Amino acid sequence: MTMHHTLIALGSNYLPAPHIQWACERIATFLHDVTMSRRLWTKDTKGTGIWYQNCLITGYTDITADELQTLLKEIETETGRTKLCVTLDLDLMLYDDKRYHLRDWERPYFTTLFAELPHIAE
């Protein structure tokens, strides 16, 4: 069985502590050797002034990138996410050597949290 290294970005602007905790527990059912960054508060990138709590989670999985992205979107839906009430935003950022959401890699919250995960820091 081939294991794939993954990195997932998590964000929430509504009851973030329980939503992020719940998401991490769900993600841990299909990721192994999980490491989670600290949580960081940031204003949204669209300038609305809405605050988000963000973190990163990394680990290994034997499922495909497409299957993983489908699972992440299902988890978002389960929490009742809407356009304004982002209970969870789960984005696959890295799958082995392939990067996703390239603009997010330059965002300050991401670069800060990514650098704090020493086993994957570049």
Side-chain angles (χ1 to χ4, degrees):
M1 166 173 31
T2 301
M3 297 301 281
H4 304 278
H5 183 237
T6 63
L7 176 67
I8 299 166
L10 296 86
S12 176
N13 73 7
Y14 179 74
L15 300 173
H19 283 125
I20 288 176
Q21 182 62 39
W22 180 81
C24 289
E25 291 169 6
R26 288 289 309 277
I27 290 168
T29 65
F30 49 84
L31 285 190
H32 309 284
D33 299 322
V34 172
T35 302
M36 186 173 141
S37 73
R38 68 183 169 105
R39 296 178 189 187
L40 185 65
W41 284 99
T42 60
K43 285 187 180 179
D44 83 324
T45 59
K46 296 177 180 138
T48 65
I50 297 173
W51 285 87
Y52 283 76
Q53 194 173 80
N54 299 280
C55 70
L56 303 177
I57 189 168
T58 185
Y60 295 87
T61 188
D62 60 350
I63 62 177
T64 68
D66 288 340
E67 291 169 328
L68 181 52
Q69 290 193 74
T70 297
L71 284 170
L72 296 176
K73 295 312 163 197
E74 288 173 0
I75 292 170
E76 286 180 355
T77 301
E78 286 177 41
T79 63
R81 178 188 169 149
T82 66
K83 190 168 184 151
L84 294 177
C85 181
V86 182
T87 51
L88 278 173
D89 182 27
L90 305 174
D91 292 323
L92 178 61
M93 301 299 293
L94 183 70
Y95 186 89
D96 290 331
D97 294 327
K98 184 173 180 183
R99 289 184 177 200
Y100 297 84
H101 302 279
L102 298 179
R103 285 185 290 185
D104 290 339
W105 283 81
E106 303 303 320
R107 298 194 194 285
Y109 85 88
F110 185 87
T111 59
T112 298
L113 295 175
F114 185 74
E116 293 175 2
L117 294 171
H119 64 284
I120 63 167
E122 298 178 327

